[in-house]
C-alpha cells in the first residue's frame, strides 16, 4: 500500500483522465494498493458540482472497467475519495484558491498529473511554485508528447526543472507500462539463449509496427497539430526500439536502464537531406471501410482543418550506428484507420548460411503487444510424408492463456503505482526525451523543406503503397 497522498489531475474532464486514469485508480483502490486516505482531485475549467463530475466519471468508468471488476460498493467508497475543483490552469489566482482548498500538506505527498496540452506544462509548474504547492515531497507527471520539437521540449524541461528536481519528474509513456513491453526486457535479459543471436551477425532486420483501426476520435484539435510522428513515433515507437536495441544494463534500476536507452537514441543515424525522402513515408487516411463500416477521410474529422496535411501514418527506415546493430535496418511504422489493430515487434533472422533444402529458411521472433499478448518463434519444420518439404511453424506463447488466473493490469495502473512509490525506471528521463527529439526534428524539417505532403491511403488498408516499397526495394516485406 502506498503512503497517503493527494493526486491532482489537471485535465480532469478530458479523455485521458476519464478513460484511463480514473479506471486505473479505481483498480488500484479496489486491490487495496492505495492508502485509504488517498484523495483524487480532478481539475478542469468547466464549473461542475462534484456530484455532476462523479456522474460523468461513473459513466466513463463503467464503459472502461470490465463488468466483473466493477463492484458497486468499492465504487461508492472510491467516489468518496474523489473531488472536483474548477479552475483555470493559466490563472495564478486560481492556484492560490487551490492551495487554500488543499490546506496544509502536513507531510502529505502531492502528485500533480498533467493530462493537458504540453503548452500548459510550463505555466502550471510555475504557478504551482508561486502558490507554494511544489514542495520537495511533490511529484509531477507529464503526459507525452513533451513539446512539439527539440526546442519546445527543452523549454518545457527547463521550466519544469526550475521548479522540480529531476527525481520528482515522471515523464510518462504508457507503452512502458504494458506487460508485453516489460516482458521484452525479461525475454532479452533473462534468457541466455537469445543474447548470442541478438545482433547484426544473425539479425536481418527489425520491424516495429503499431496499427490502429481508430481515427482521431474527439482529439482532432490536438492531433491535427501533432500528427503520427509526434503522437506515436517520437515516443512509443522509439521507446520500443530502445528496449529491443539497448545493451543489457548493469542493474534493473532507473538510471542504469535509462542510460542504456539514451545511448541508443544518440546512436540513431540522422535522417537528413535527400534521405528524408528516401527513408520516410508520410500518409493520411482517405475515406474507406473498416469492419464493414464506411469511414470518412481524415480532413472531415471534427476539429481538423479541411485542407490539413497532417500525417496519420508514418513509416521510417532507421539505422543504429553501433557495433551491435551496424547494417541492420529498423523499420518503424504506425498509422490510424489501418486494416487491423495490431502492435508488434518482429525480429527477422538471417537465412541459414548454407541451404540444404529448397525454399527460404528463416527464423522469425514475433512479439505481439496487441490485440493479444504473444511471443512466437517461427521455426522451419519438415511436413509429414515423403521428401524434405519444409514449412514454417510457430512455437507460440500466449501470455493471456499462460497467466489466465491473473488479471492483466492496464499500463496506467502499473505506472501510477510506480509514481506513488517513486520508481522512475519506466519513465523517460529528460535527456532521453531530448535525444528522441534531436533525431525527429531533422525529419520534420525535411518534410517541410521538401513540401513532402502525406500520401493518401484508404481507411482500412495497410497504409500508402510507398511504405511497402520502403522494404520491397531490399527484398523485404511487412509482417501482417
Ligand atoms: C496515445 C496516442 O499515446 O496512444 C493515441 O496519443 C493512441 O493517439 C494511443 O491512440 C494508443 O495506445 P494503445 O495503448 O491503445 O496502443
Amino acid at each position: 500500500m502506498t503512503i497517503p497522498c493527494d493526486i491532482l489531475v489537471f485535465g480532469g474532464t478530458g479523455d485521458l483522465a476519464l478513460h484511463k486514469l480514473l479506471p486505473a485508480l479505481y483498480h488500484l483502490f479496489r486491490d487495496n494498493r492505495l492508502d485509504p486516505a488517498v484523495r483524487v482531485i480532478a481539475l478542469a475549467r468547466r464549473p461542475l458540482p462534484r456530484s455532476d463530475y462523479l456522474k460523468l466519471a461513473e459513466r466513463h468508468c463503467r464503459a472502461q472497467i470490465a463488468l466483473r471488476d466493477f463492484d458497486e460498493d468499492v465504487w461508492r467508497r472510491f467516489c468518496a475519495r474523489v473531488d472536483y475543483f474548477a479552475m483555470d490552469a493559466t490563472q495564478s489566482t486560481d492556484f492560490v484558491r487551490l492551495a487554500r482548498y488543499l490546506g496544509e500538506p502536513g507531510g502529505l505527498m502531492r502528485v500533480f498529473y498533467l493530462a493537458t496540452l504540453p503548452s500548459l506544462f510550463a505555466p502550471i509548474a510555475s504557478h504551482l511554485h508561486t502558490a507554494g504547492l511544489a514542495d520537495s515531497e511533490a511529484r509531477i507527471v507529464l503526459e507525452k508528447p513533451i513539446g512539439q520539437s527539440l526546442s519546445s521540449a527543452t523549454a518545457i524541461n527547463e521550466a519544469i526543472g526550475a521548479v522540480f528536481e529531476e527525481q520528482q519528474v515522471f515523464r510518462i509513456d504508457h507503452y512502458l507500462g504494458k506487460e508485453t513491453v516489460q516482458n521484452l526486457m525479461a525475454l532479452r535479459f533473462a534468457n541466455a539463449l537469445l543474447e548470442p543471436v541478438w545482433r547484426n551477425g544473425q539479425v536481418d532486420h527489425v520491424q516495429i509496427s503499431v496499427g490502429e483501426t481508430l481515427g482521431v476520435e474527439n482529439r482532432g484539435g490536438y492531433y491535427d497539430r501533432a500528427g503520427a510522428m509526434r503522437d506515436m513515433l517520437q515516443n512509443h515507437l522509439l521507446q520500443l526500439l530502445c528496449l529491443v536495441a539497448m545493451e543489457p544494463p548493469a542493474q534493473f534500476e532507473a538510471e542504469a536502464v535509462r542510460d542504456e536507452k539514451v545511448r541508443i537514441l544518440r546512436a540513431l543515424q540522422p535522417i537528413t537531406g535527400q534521405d528524408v525522402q528516401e527513408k520516410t513515408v508520410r500518409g493520411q487516411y482517405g475515406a474507406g471501410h473498416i469492419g464493414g463500416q464506411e469511414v470518412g477521410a481524415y480532413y472531415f474529422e471534427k476539429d481538423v482543418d479541411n485542407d490539413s496535411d497532417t500525417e496519420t501514418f508514418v513509416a521510417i527506415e532507421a539505422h543504429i550506428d553501433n557495433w551491435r546493430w551496424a547494417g541492420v535496418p529498423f523499420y518503424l511504422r504506425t498509422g490510424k484507420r489501418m486494416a487491423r489493430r495490431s502492435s508488434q515487434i518482429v525480429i527477422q533472422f538471417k537465412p541459414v548460411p548454407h541451404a540444404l533444402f529448397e525454399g527460404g529458411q528463416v527464423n522469425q521472433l514475433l512479439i505481439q503487444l496487441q490485440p493479444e499478448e504473444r511471443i512466437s518463434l517461427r521455426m522451419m519444420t519438415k511436413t509429414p510424408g515423403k521428401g524434405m518439404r519444409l514449412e514454417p511453424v510457430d512455437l507460440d506463447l500466449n501470455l493471456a492463456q499462460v497467466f489466465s488466473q491473473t488479471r492483466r493490469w492496464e499500463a496506467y495502473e502499473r505506472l501510477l503505482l510506480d509514481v506513488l512509490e517513486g520508481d522512475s525506471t519506466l519513465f523517460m528521463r529528460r535527456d532521453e526525451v531530448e535525444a528522441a527529439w534531436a533525431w525527429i526534428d531533422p525529419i520534420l524539417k525535411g518534410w517541410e523543406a521538401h513540401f513532402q505532403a502525406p500520401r493518401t491511403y484508404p481507411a482500412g488498408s495497410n497504409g500508402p503503397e510507398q511504405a511497402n516499397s520502403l522494404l520491397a526495394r531490399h527484398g523485404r516485406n511487412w509482417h501482417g
Side-chain angles (χ1 to χ4, degrees):
M1 195 173 292
T2 58
I3 53 171
C5 60
D6 282 348
I7 303 173
L8 291 98
V9 182
F10 287 87
T13 51
D15 279 2
L16 178 66
L18 295 168
H19 294 170
K20 299 285 184 195
L21 303 180
L22 285 178
L25 288 166
Y26 162 84
H27 277 300
L28 293 175
F29 184 82
R30 191 191 75 139
D31 296 351
N32 293 320
R33 302 258 178 190
L34 295 182
D35 185 276
V38 69
R39 283 198 299 176
V40 177
I41 300 137
L43 312 158
R45 262 205 307 228
R46 230 190 291 171
L48 277 178
R50 174 170 179 268
S51 56
D52 284 8
Y53 183 74
L54 291 179
K55 276 188 213 143
L56 181 75
E58 180 169 350
R59 184 152 48 80
H60 286 276
C61 287
R62 277 189 191 273
Q64 300 298 324
I65 298 169
L67 201 57
R68 63 175 182 282
D69 292 328
F70 196 94
D71 181 310
E72 304 289 340
D73 178 53
V74 177
W75 176 255
R76 230 171 303 116
R77 285 190 287 117
F78 174 64
C79 282
R81 310 305 316 153
V82 178
D83 202 356
Y84 179 75
F85 188 85
M87 65 176 284
D88 181 342
T90 62
Q91 299 300 315
S92 59
T93 47
D94 280 15
F95 285 80
V96 177
R97 274 200 307 116
L98 177 66
R100 224 176 294 128
Y101 157 85
L102 290 172
E104 281 303 312
L108 198 74
M109 178 175 73
R110 284 175 179 153
V111 176
F112 301 107
Y113 197 118
L114 274 48
T116 64
L117 287 176
S119 52
L120 286 174
F121 294 173
I124 292 179
S126 136
H127 292 322
L128 287 171
H129 174 65
T130 316
L133 288 167
D135 60 27
S136 59
E137 296 302 310
R139 290 180 189 160
I140 185 160
V141 187
L142 307 177
E143 261 297 330
K144 50 115 304 228
I146 313 276
Q148 283 271 322
S149 59
L150 177 59
S151 62
S152 55
T154 310
I156 290 173
N157 283 332
E158 287 290 329
I160 299 288
V163 177
F164 295 96
E165 297 291 335
E166 180 63 22
Q167 70 272 15
Q168 295 178 276
V169 185
F170 292 78
R171 297 178 191 83
I172 217 160
D173 182 312
H174 80 275
Y175 265 55
L176 295 179
K178 289 182 190 276
E179 284 286 354
T180 337
V181 175
Q182 291 161 44
N183 229 324
L184 190 56
M185 287 191 271
L187 186 75
R188 284 199 56 199
F189 306 134
N191 294 287
L193 172 78
L194 289 175
E195 170 55 21
V197 296
W198 209 264
R199 57 190 65 248
N200 50 8
Q202 283 72 27
V203 173
D204 176 75
H205 73 276
V206 175
Q207 297 182 16
I208 301 178
S209 182
V210 178
E212 298 180 89
T213 50
L214 289 179
V216 294
E217 310 305 297
N218 294 320
R219 302 159 69 229
Y222 148 76
Y223 193 89
D224 207 33
R225 269 172 289 133
M229 185 72 139
R230 295 180 174 93
D231 184 51
M232 296 291 289
L233 203 133
Q234 188 272 345
N235 31 78
H236 302 328
L237 276 85
L238 285 188
Q239 285 295 315
L240 295 178
L241 177 140
C242 285
L243 296 182
V244 171
M246 73 193 216
E247 292 301 314
Q251 292 101 25
F252 187 60
E253 155 298 304
E255 297 318 320
V257 170
R258 299 189 300 177
D259 284 348
E260 296 303 340
K261 283 162 60 192
V262 172
R263 280 189 191 117
I264 290 297
L265 291 167
R266 293 202 177 128
L268 279 169
Q269 197 174 88
I271 300 184
T272 52
Q274 188 59 24
D275 277 355
V276 175
Q277 272 151 308
E278 278 173 18
K279 295 193 169 153
T280 74
V281 177
R282 304 177 77 204
Q284 186 188 86
Y285 61 82
H289 288 86
I290 295 189
Q293 299 278 321
E294 218 173 291
V295 293
Y298 172 70
Y299 50 79
F300 282 136
E301 297 278 8
K302 188 165 145 259
D303 301 328
V304 166
D305 264 8
N306 53 16
D307 60 351
S308 168
D309 72 349
T310 298
E311 77 287 348
T312 59
F313 174 99
V314 56
I316 299 188
E317 178 186 326
H319 286 265
I320 299 169
D321 284 339
N322 69 10
W323 195 285
R324 188 187 283 266
W325 295 115
V328 178
F330 280 68
Y331 296 105
L332 311 176
R333 171 178 71 164
T334 183
K336 293 215 179 268
R337 290 280 193 234
M338 304 276 281
R340 65 194 70 81
R341 176 173 187 241
S342 163
S343 308
Q344 59 189 25
I345 298 167
V346 174
I347 315 288
Q348 178 83 38
F349 292 96
K350 289 185 171 163
V352 291
H354 172 62
L356 287 184
F357 313 110
E358 275 181 27
Q361 287 135 49
V362 288
N363 300 116
Q364 184 186 72
L365 180 69
L366 168 74
I367 302 157
Q368 192 169 66
L369 318 178
Q370 280 161 180
E372 277 182 328
E373 295 180 22
R374 267 177 59 211
I375 298 175
S376 73
L377 180 61
R378 180 154 296 178
M379 307 288 292
M380 297 309 296
T381 46
K382 178 188 169 304
T383 55
K386 196 172 166 306
M388 280 304 281
R389 276 205 314 276
L390 303 192
E391 229 179 72
V393 175
D394 292 341
L395 285 176
D396 218 353
L397 177 63
N398 182 318
L399 293 164
Q401 273 169 19
V402 175
F403 299 106
S404 59
Q405 300 309 314
T406 324
R407 185 178 70 81
R408 312 297 284 160
W409 280 40
E410 280 288 327
Y412 279 99
E413 289 175 53
R414 161 74 200 255
L415 295 175
L416 278 166
L417 203 57
D418 283 357
V419 171
L420 301 181
E421 288 173 353
D423 180 353
S424 28
T425 311
L426 299 177
F427 295 81
M428 293 178 292
R429 207 168 54 191
R430 172 179 179 165
D431 52 353
E432 222 178 316
V433 172
E434 291 174 9
W437 276 120
W439 186 69
I440 297 287
D441 253 15
I443 305 178
L444 292 171
K445 288 196 180 118
W447 285 348
E448 255 175 56
H450 297 105
F451 306 107
Q452 198 168 325
R455 321 263 180 181
T456 305
Y457 62 98
S461 69
N462 286 329
E465 192 40 48
Q466 287 76 5
N468 296 335
S469 318
L470 200 63
L471 276 73
R473 63 186 175 187
H474 301 298
R476 303 178 174 121
N477 53 284
W478 292 102
H479 178 274

